[in-house]
Amino acid sequence: MLLALFLMGSALAAPLTPAQQAQVTRIGEGIRCPICRDVLPITESGNEISKQMLSEISAQTQAGQSDAQIYQYFRERYGQRVLLRPPNDTAGTLLWAIPALALLAGGGVLAGYLRGQRKVVPVADLPSSADESEDPYLAEIRAQVQAKREQEA
């Protein structure tokens, strides 16, 4: 707390450079207002706590803190929920990637199954047996299919 007061006091001593002001704005747009009902960055919220948070960012920026250090400060103070853009970590990436990979694998299995179902050979294209006299029903069906094809052609 004493460090924050010291940093805030030093921020009032000198104005921010344009680069520092841009850093404050960029960081402020990445931090969520902790008391707002909507998910608003502190740069868009007009309540007192958001103004104090922007003041803290200004003081830390002027003290030479990096973006990562400032985000870490707010994460420790308010929890992970305060960040509008959570950091990319392996666990988060896996949580997003596993369902997508499962959908792709399921689609591949379905496509393979459907491809296998399309390999139905028409009766007329089946090889004829050497001895059709044993199965007169099959011979009759082949004759009817052949007659139908000749009719359509």
Side-chain angles (χ1 to χ4, degrees), residues 9-143:
S10 65
L12 298 175
L16 295 172
T17 65
Q20 289 174 328
Q21 186 59 44
Q23 181 183 8
V24 169
T25 303
R26 183 178 62 249
I27 294 171
E29 289 173 352
I31 295 180
R32 180 182 181 271
C33 170
I35 61 172
C36 296
R37 287 183 183 215
D38 297 327
V39 179
L40 288 176
I42 59 174
T43 55
E44 294 179 18
S45 175
N47 61 37
E48 192 59 36
I49 193 164
S50 294
K51 291 175 185 176
Q52 290 173 358
M53 290 170 82
L54 277 171
S55 251
E56 290 177 32
I57 294 171
S58 295
Q60 290 183 19
T61 300
Q62 198 164 27
Q65 299 287 321
S66 69
D67 290 11
Q69 291 170 323
I70 297 171
Y71 283 127
Q72 182 62 32
Y73 169 80
F74 281 99
R75 189 178 315 123
E76 289 172 358
R77 186 163 182 189
Y78 296 98
Q80 184 74 21
R81 190 168 174 256
V82 77
L83 300 180
L84 287 174
R85 294 176 220 113
N88 293 335
D89 59 348
T90 306
T93 304
L94 283 175
L95 286 174
W96 282 100
I98 288 173
L101 291 174
L103 281 173
L104 287 174
V109 168
L110 180 63
Y113 174 76
L114 292 176
R115 225 178 280 129
Q117 293 297 314
R118 287 194 308 173
K119 293 182 181 177
V120 176
V121 179
V123 174
D125 293 343
L126 290 174
S128 62
S129 64
D131 191 10
E132 287 186 9
S133 61
E134 288 182 26
D135 192 2
Y137 180 71
L138 182 59
E140 180 66 27
I141 290 176
R142 283 193 179 131

